[in-house]
Amino acid sequence: LNLASLKTPQFSIRWPLQCDAMLLVGIYRYGFGNWEKIKDDKELNMNTKIFIREGDTLGAPDDKKLSRRAQTLLLKLSQEKSVTNKKSPSEKKPKHTKEKESQKKKVAAGPSKPKNQYRELLADYADVLAELKQLSSDTSEVLDKKVKIKKTKSCLIKLGEGIHGVADSSADSSKLEEKLWGYVQKSCRTAMDGAALQRLYLKLSSK
């Protein structure tokens, strides 16, 4: 994994590439979100790099910042694996064997890989996405129009802030933001496309 190509996170403490590497090792050992176990693992030497309880190093990233950084690292890892797999020549196998393997991969993979990546990146905003989807599909007149507009704006602001936070550590943040807004549009089935949703968010957030 080429960590050097990633944008350095804007933490209040020094965060060298070694911290990114140890964070990934910790996630592999204990699972995503188990920051306390990662912090307490002496081999990882992350004790002063994580803030999760009183008395921890001031300025160290908390659980939300760690989640965003970890999601960026995992996305980068997934992208590099995808490129490597495309470059490596496949061994010649009988046609029927290839077809069987292809079917197995489709069943195991489920939805397309990018969609899964974007869903994972916005996992903290699943409730907001669900609310926006419900608002987009609601054609009844039970909900007051002004209330509906207010709720929709609130959802867009929350999602926009989340997308900006997730994409901020990416090497190509603008492209990732564009992709994430596209995912929001498809996931919530909004009348506006992803680019229009992004423009609306920027307009709302500037007020």
Side-chain angles (χ1 to χ4, degrees):
L1 175 62
N2 184 16
L3 296 175
S5 65
L6 284 174
K7 190 176 178 182
T8 304
Q10 301 300 308
F11 298 152
S12 300
I13 62 167
R14 185 171 173 274
W15 188 271
L17 295 179
Q18 182 69 10
C19 289
D20 282 338
M22 292 301 98
L23 186 61
L24 285 173
V25 173
I27 292 171
Y28 177 77
R29 287 183 181 179
Y30 305 109
F32 189 94
N34 288 318
W35 313 126
E36 189 167 355
K37 289 184 179 180
I38 294 173
K39 172 184 169 64
D40 294 337
D41 189 325
K42 293 182 180 179
E43 290 183 6
L44 301 178
N45 196 29
M46 294 287 283
N47 185 51
T48 61
K49 301 296 183 180
I50 296 176
F51 185 91
I52 53 175
R53 50 182 174 246
E54 190 175 348
D56 287 345
T57 305
L58 292 176
D62 56 15
D63 57 345
K64 287 186 178 180
K65 290 181 180 179
L66 287 168
S67 294
R68 289 175 184 171
R69 187 59 180 173
Q71 287 167 345
T72 299
L73 294 172
L74 292 171
L75 177 62
K76 178 69 174 174
L77 180 62
S78 178
Q79 289 172 340
E80 288 197 3
K81 279 185 178 180
S82 178
V83 172
T84 303
N85 290 337
K86 286 180 181 179
K87 287 183 179 179
S88 60
S90 58
E91 296 180 6
K92 291 183 178 180
K93 296 181 180 180
K95 187 176 179 180
H96 66 278
T97 304
K98 287 186 177 181
E99 289 175 350
K100 285 182 179 180
E101 287 182 353
S102 177
Q103 290 173 352
K104 286 181 181 179
K105 286 179 181 178
K106 286 181 180 179
V107 172
S112 61
K113 194 172 184 179
K115 188 175 180 181
N116 279 338
Q117 289 175 358
Y118 304 145
R119 184 172 60 217
E120 288 171 8
L121 288 175
L122 295 178
D124 292 341
Y125 301 90
D127 292 343
V128 185
L129 287 167
E131 183 179 3
L132 182 59
K133 183 177 181 179
Q134 185 176 3
L135 288 166
S136 300
S137 61
D138 182 24
T139 56
S140 67
E141 297 182 1
V142 176
L143 192 64
D144 183 73
K145 189 175 181 180
K146 289 184 178 179
V147 174
K148 187 175 180 180
I149 292 173
K150 185 178 180 181
K151 285 179 175 289
T152 301
K153 288 180 177 179
S154 176
C155 287
L156 289 176
I157 290 173
K158 289 177 183 177
L159 288 170
E161 290 173 348
I163 288 173
H164 181 71
V166 167
D168 189 49
S169 300
S170 174
D172 193 348
S173 57
S174 59
K175 187 174 182 180
L176 181 56
E177 283 193 39
E178 181 183 331
K179 296 288 186 183
L180 287 170
W181 278 112
Y183 168 74
V184 169
Q185 188 276 324
K186 289 180 181 178
S187 176
C188 301
R189 299 173 185 174
T190 60
M192 289 184 175
D193 60 20
L197 289 175
Q198 185 177 14
R199 288 195 298 271
L200 180 56
Y201 157 69
L202 292 173
K203 185 177 179 180
L204 292 171
S205 60
S206 64
K207 290 183 179 180

